[in-house]
Amino acid sequence: MTLMAEPSDTGRFGEFGGRYVPETLVPACQELETAFRQAWADPGFRTELGDALRTFAGRPSMISECRNLGDRLGVRLLLKREDLNHTGSHKINNVVGQALLAKRMGKTRLVAETGAGQHGVASATAAALFGLECKVYMGAVDVERQALNVFRMRLLGSEVEAVHSGSRTLKDAVNEAMRDWVANVGATHYCLGSVMGPHPYPWMVREFHRVIGDEAYAQCQVLLDDVPDVVVACVGGGSNAIGIFSGFVDGRSRLVGVEPAGGAAVGRGQPGVVHGMRSYLMQDEFGQVLEAESISAGLDYPGVGPEHSHLASIGRAEYPSVTDGEVVEAFQALARSEGIIPALESAHAIAWVMREAHAMPGATVLVNLSGRGDKDVAQMMDLLA
Amino acid sequence: MSLESSLRAKRAAGRKLLVPYVTGGLPGWDDAVRACAASGADAVEIGLPFSDPVMDGPVIQEASERALRAGATYPSILDSVRRLDVAIPLAVMTYYNTVHRAGHRRFASELAGAGIAAAIVPDLPLEESAPWTESADWAGVETVMLAAPTAPDERLVRIVARARGFVYSVGLLGVTGERDSLASTAATLARRVKTVTGSDGIPVLIGVGVSNAAQAAEACTVADGVVQGASVMRRMLDGGPDAVAAYVAEVRAAIAS
C-alpha cells in the first residue's frame, strides 16, 4: 500500500481536498471521476496514452548528472529532464492524458488556465493533435510577461483570453476557466493544469504525472542501485513535484517541495477553500485570498494542491521557500555550469539545493527539472541587462 | 423573522416573491437595502464580497472588488446590518471560504446575532454542506440551497429536502449577469423543482440570468418568485440607491400584474 494512494470517497487526502464547486458542476465532476476511473482501469487507454507519451511527447525523459555544479556544491546532483519533453515541460504528460479522456467522454472543447503559459501551450498542443477546440485563460499580467507563449498558443490554433479581474494572474485565470466551464459544461472539458481543483482533479492529474516518478525510480535503480537521498521539485500547484514524489514516497528519500517566498501556501498559509478544494491557502483573517508575488508566473499561485498539504501535515514532505534573488542566481548558475537553461519555476528547486547543499555533504540529490527556460529568456534579458 | 415562513405567508396571500441582491460594503449599500425594502422587495440578499467569486459575472465581480477596495469586511457589514431597521427578512450570500475561515459555529452565531435570517453559499454543494448546515441549524440560520439545470431528479429531491428559506433555482448554465432573454433552462428547471416541492412546499425562486422586469414576470409564471442580482447591481454601480429603488419598484409592478 503506497502512501500516495487513491483519495477517499469524498476526494480527500487526509483532511484536504474535497469537491467545493457550484451545484452546476457537481454532475460534471462526477462524470469525470467515473470516466477517469474506467479509463485508468482500461488497458486499451493505458496503451494509447503510453504510445502518445513515447511517440509524441518524447518520453522517457533522461536523467542527467550535473558534475560541475554538483562538485562545486559537494553533492551528487541529478536532474530529471522534463525540460526535454515536447512543449518544454512536464505539463504535456497531463494534457495528453486529459485530452484523450475528453475525447473518450465525447467532449469537443477544452478550456484551460495558464500562468507562465507552459500548461496553456501544452493544452493547445494536445488540442491540435487530438482535434479539439481550445480556449486558454491567462491573467493579463502574465499575457504581458509571457508574450511569446501567447503567440505559440494562437499559432497552435487556440484562443487566448486575457483575464483582467482580481490580481490578473494564475488564480484569476482559474476563476475565469471555471466560469467558462459552468457556462459550457455539456461539450467542454476543463483541462486543469495542476494537482489542484475539485475531486477528481488532484488525483487524476497526479496519476498522469506518476510517469515521472516511475521512470525516475527505475533510472535511479540502474544509476545508483538505490534511491536518491533527497528528491527536490518546485511547487506552485505542485504537479511536477507530485509526479516525482510518487516514485519515492514509500522509500527513505527526503522529499522537498520548494515554494516561492511570495507564494508560500504551505509555508505561510492556513487551511482554506478556493478553486474547489480545501488546502493550505494564503489568505487574510477574513478569508480573502491574498495575491501571490513571484518572479515566475507559473508559481504565482496563493494555493497548493491538497495532497501536498496532506504530505506536509503528516511530515512526509517539507516545503521551504526561496527568494526571487536566489532563483535568478540559480537560473544563471545552471546555465553557466551545466549548459542547461532552466525554467524560472524549476530554478526554484536548483536554488534550494544551492542554498542547502552545505548541510548535506555527499548526498545524492535528484531535482525534477520541470521545464526549460526558453520562455523566460526575454524576461531575464530585461532583468539582467 | 424566518425567511421561509415570511415568504410562504406572502405566497399564500397570492403575491409573487421578489428578492433583490445588494453587495454589502459598497458606499451607499445600506441605503440600497432600505430602498429595496421600501420598493416592494420581500427579502434582500446581501452579498459578502469575496476575492474570488467564481459564480459571478463582470457586474458583481466589479461590485465585490469595489467593496473590498473600500475596506469592507464581513464583520463591518454585519455591524451595519444591525442598524438597517427594515421590516423584511435578510439573507447573506457568501462564498464558503469566508465561513470556513471564521469557523462554522462562530460564523452562524454572528449571522444570527446580526439578525440575518438565512445564508446562500454558492460554492458549497450538497455533499460538502453538512458541517455548515449543522451549525446554521443550531444557530437558527436557514440555508438556501441552489438547484442547477444539470442536476438529475434524484439530486433535486435531496436538495429540496435540505433547503430552508427557499430553493434557489439557477436559471441557466453560467454565472450571474444580464442576458438578452430568459434562458429556456429557467422554466424547465423551476418546473422540475416545483414538481418535487409541490405547490405548497418550500418556495422556489429563479435567480441567475433574470435580467429585467419582463424576464422576471416571465419567470414568475412558473416559479414563486425571482432573485435579481446583476440587474440591480448594475443600477447601483451606475446610479446608486435611487436607481435601485426605481428598478425594484418596476419589477414589483411587472410581477404583480
Side-chain angles (χ1 to χ4, degrees), chain A residues 98-161:
Chain A
Q98 288 200 44
L100 278 173
L101 189 61
K103 284 205 73 126
R104 192 179 158 108
M105 293 168 71
K107 307 283 181 181
T108 56
R109 177 174 180 267
L110 301 180
V111 288
E113 82 294 340
T114 198
Q118 287 178 315
H119 175 60
V121 168
S123 298
T125 300
L129 178 68
F130 295 113
L132 297 160
E133 196 186 325
C134 180
K135 181 164 185 178
V136 180
Y137 291 94
M138 187 169 187
V141 170
D142 297 334
V143 166
E144 196 144 313
R145 59 181 167 177
Q146 295 289 348
L148 274 178
N149 269 343
V150 173
F151 183 69
R152 275 191 192 100
M153 289 182 264
R154 289 180 175 148
L155 204 56
L156 289 159
S158 284
E159 189 185 341
V160 180
E161 186 167 317

Side-chain angles (χ1 to χ4, degrees), chain B residues 2-8 11 17-21 42-46 89-93 117-120 142-147 159-170 193 197 201-208 223-228:
Chain B
S2 152
L3 175 63
E4 184 166 337
S5 56
S6 171
L7 294 182
R8 278 175 180 264
R11 181 182 61 184
L17 307 170
L18 173 56
V19 180
Y21 163 98
D42 299 303
V44 176
E45 183 185 329
I46 297 166
L90 301 172
V92 297
M93 200 294 290
I120 305 167
E142 300 161 88
T143 302
V144 172
M145 298 298 283
L146 287 88
I159 285 169
V160 167
R162 183 48 255 187
R164 306 286 183 273
F166 64 89
V167 178
Y168 193 125
S169 185
V170 176
V193 178
T197 59
I202 184 169
V204 178
L205 275 66
I206 300 178
V208 184
D224 298 314
V226 288
V227 178
Q228 294 271 275

Side-chain angles (χ1 to χ4, degrees), chain A residues 12 18-24 26-27 165-166 171 175 179 182-183 271-273 278 281 283-289, chain B residues 49-54 56 61 65 68 73 75 96-97 100-101 122-123 125-126 128 146 148 150 155 159 173-174:
Chain A
R12 279 175 170 72
R19 182 181 281 157
Y20 296 90
V21 291
E23 267 294 320
T24 304
V26 171
S165 58
K171 97 178 160 70
N175 291 338
R179 291 181 186 117
V182 169
V273 176
R278 182 175 191 275
L281 178 68
Q283 55 185 316
D284 73 9
E285 60 178 309
F286 303 113
Q288 304 294 347
V289 181
Chain B
F50 181 53
S51 54
D52 294 81
V54 291
D56 287 307
Q61 283 178 47
E65 285 187 25
L68 289 173
T73 63
Y96 181 56
N97 199 45
H100 182 272
R101 185 78 171 107
D123 57 346
L126 191 62
E128 302 286 3
L146 287 88
T150 49
R155 186 173 183 84
I159 285 169
L173 294 176

Side-chain angles (χ1 to χ4, degrees), chain A residues 38-53:
Chain A
Q38 286 169 353
W40 210 229
D42 174 3
F45 181 82
R46 296 289 195 114
T47 302
E48 199 178 358
L49 176 59
D51 285 349
L53 291 178

Side-chain angles (χ1 to χ4, degrees), chain B residues 19-184:
Chain B
V19 180
Y21 163 98
V22 174
T23 301
L26 268 182
W29 74 273
D30 42 358
D31 287 336
V33 174
R34 290 188 192 100
C36 291
S39 306
D42 299 303
V44 176
E45 183 185 329
I46 297 166
L48 303 182
F50 181 53
S51 54
D52 294 81
V54 291
M55 263 305 283
D56 287 307
V59 171
I60 294 179
Q61 283 178 47
E62 189 190 335
S64 301
E65 285 187 25
R66 280 202 208 173
L68 289 173
R69 275 201 304 272
T73 63
Y74 86 81
S76 69
I77 292 168
L78 293 184
D79 270 350
S80 305
V81 165
R82 289 189 187 89
R83 296 190 296 273
L84 277 174
D85 192 29
V86 290
I88 53 174
L90 301 172
V92 297
M93 200 294 290
T94 177
Y95 284 89
Y96 181 56
N97 199 45
T98 307
V99 182
H100 182 272
R101 185 78 171 107
H104 298 104
R105 282 214 160 194
R106 177 179 149 198
F107 190 78
S109 317
E110 287 178 328
L111 291 187
I116 294 286
I120 305 167
V121 193
D123 57 346
L124 190 65
L126 191 62
E127 287 79 1
E128 302 286 3
S129 65
W132 161 248
T133 51
E134 281 162 15
S135 298
D137 290 350
W138 164 80
V141 173
E142 300 161 88
T143 302
V144 172
M145 298 298 283
L146 287 88
T150 49
D153 288 341
E154 59 82 24
R155 186 173 183 84
L156 291 182
V157 171
R158 288 184 289 133
I159 285 169
V160 167
R162 183 48 255 187
R164 306 286 183 273
F166 64 89
V167 178
Y168 193 125
S169 185
V170 176
L172 47 73
L173 294 176
V175 295
T176 59
E178 296 165 275
R179 313 293 201 280
D180 291 339
S181 60
L182 190 67
S184 62

